[in-house]
Amino acid sequence: RLPHISNFTDFVALENQPDASIKYVSKPEQIGEPDVLILPGSKNTIEDMAYLRENGFERKINDLSQKGKLIIGICGGYQMLGKEINDPLHTESNLDSIRGLGLLNMTTTFESKKITTRVKAKVHAAQSPYLQGLEQYDIDGYEIHMGISEQGRGCIPLIEIYKRLDNEVMVADGFCNSQGNVFGTYIHGIFDNTDFLRGLLNNVRKLKGLERIDGEQMSFKEFKEREYDRLAQIVRENLDMEKIYAIIKG
């Protein structure tokens, strides 16, 4: 639970999986031995990177990585996985740069322009044991970030974005390490894609020696629509809707 955590709705889809238990931690000793550790998005990546280092998270995260546990970074969390985060324009802090976790051989530099767009993409780094078979699934999500990340030796492109809004593109997004257990992406909402998420969790199960969980799964989009319908019904039952419609019409 980063001090400046953002877009934590990225992980609600995990809470709806039958074999996933998710917890947010504020101290390194609370991490334990998870199968997957996720670094979420941040409203201030540099300050949150300093927080991880100053509060003892860095050593624990590196230990888990060396054990082959899956480490995932989303947006700001992805930037923290790299070797360095540069902020020459001081868009986030007074620091020119900060050393990252060094789990991905990449460098991120903040620029003045913010990327905000819907995207469609596919997995590229299917050689990772955690990503095998996932290249067949479409990924819908969105980008909202200022950093540009550049790969170094040993980094494998993770995802290929093929559409931004209505424009067809071919843009690489995110990187994976050569061992295949550390990867990050700028795409928020990646876990909302049920087929991708179920495939990822089944790959984790396979590496643990557990059987797959298959069968028809309610998509996260369907789940959200069902919950919106429930909320709408509660509103209808408890408010004078005719009066509200009259107010709206002026």
Side-chain angles (χ1 to χ4, degrees):
R1 188 183 293 276
L2 298 171
H4 303 92
I5 186 172
S6 66
N7 302 87
F8 53 85
T9 52
D10 282 340
F11 314 113
V12 175
L14 282 163
E15 299 173 358
N16 289 279
Q17 292 299 312
D19 56 339
S21 175
I22 184 170
K23 66 176 180 178
Y24 294 85
V25 300
S26 301
K27 298 178 181 179
E29 58 266 28
Q30 296 173 335
I31 293 177
E33 294 291 327
D35 297 302
V36 185
L37 184 143
I38 303 174
L39 294 174
S42 170
K43 297 184 182 72
N44 193 313
T45 306
I46 288 179
E47 286 192 13
D48 280 349
M49 181 63 241
Y51 165 83
L52 291 180
R53 179 161 293 130
E54 292 167 2
N55 288 276
F57 283 92
E58 184 173 24
R59 177 178 295 180
K60 179 64 177 178
I61 294 170
N62 277 277
D63 286 346
L64 290 172
S65 172
Q66 290 174 10
K67 292 178 181 178
K69 300 291 187 177
L70 178 56
I71 312 293
I72 303 175
I74 307 294
C75 202
Y78 161 47
Q79 294 169 340
M80 295 179 209
L81 293 175
K83 294 178 64 177
E84 191 173 57
I85 304 167
N86 299 312
D87 190 9
L89 302 177
H90 296 165
T91 58
E92 282 198 357
S93 74
N94 293 324
L95 294 177
D96 292 327
S97 66
I98 190 171
R99 180 169 51 87
L101 294 168
L103 298 180
L104 291 176
N105 186 19
M106 69 169 196
T107 300
T108 297
T109 301
F110 292 138
E111 298 181 345
S112 57
K113 183 180 179 181
K114 193 169 192 175
I115 296 174
T116 56
T117 183
R118 298 284 309 181
V119 299
K120 289 183 178 294
K122 285 192 178 287
V123 171
H124 180 76
Q127 61 267 48
S128 163
Y130 289 103
L131 298 170
Q132 285 182 1
L134 303 191
E135 68 276 6
Q136 62 182 303
Y137 301 126
D138 283 314
I139 294 172
D140 286 289
Y142 64 96
E143 295 178 89
I144 177 168
H145 64 92
M146 298 185 74
I148 301 296
S149 298
E150 298 181 358
Q151 76 181 103
R153 182 175 298 176
C155 266
I156 301 168
L158 178 72
I159 287 171
E160 183 174 282
I161 296 173
Y162 64 86
K163 184 172 285 188
R164 278 179 167 158
L165 295 179
D166 294 325
N167 301 314
E168 293 186 3
V169 297
M170 289 185 64
V171 178
D173 170 80
F175 296 119
C176 179
N177 67 345
S178 57
Q179 292 78 25
N181 72 307
V182 178
F183 57 79
T185 176
Y186 278 117
I187 299 177
H188 290 287
I190 188 169
F191 299 130
D192 292 2
N193 298 272
T194 305
D195 290 337
F196 168 84
L197 176 58
R198 191 63 254 158
L200 179 68
L201 292 178
N202 275 332
N203 283 338
V204 174
R205 294 179 67 86
K206 179 181 178 181
L207 292 169
K208 286 172 64 72
L210 301 175
E211 293 184 359
R212 295 173 57 88
I213 291 181
D214 290 312
E216 189 171 342
Q217 297 271 332
M218 178 186 291
S219 74
F220 190 61
K221 181 179 180 180
E222 290 172 333
F223 168 77
K224 287 192 294 184
E225 290 299 326
R226 187 189 70 183
E227 295 302 298
Y228 291 145
D229 288 343
R230 288 178 60 194
L231 176 60
Q233 186 61 33
I234 292 171
V235 171
R236 290 190 194 99
E237 292 173 353
N238 292 276
L239 292 179
D240 184 347
M241 295 305 298
E242 294 302 321
K243 181 65 174 177
I244 291 176
Y245 292 143
I247 293 172
I248 291 173
K249 293 177 181 177

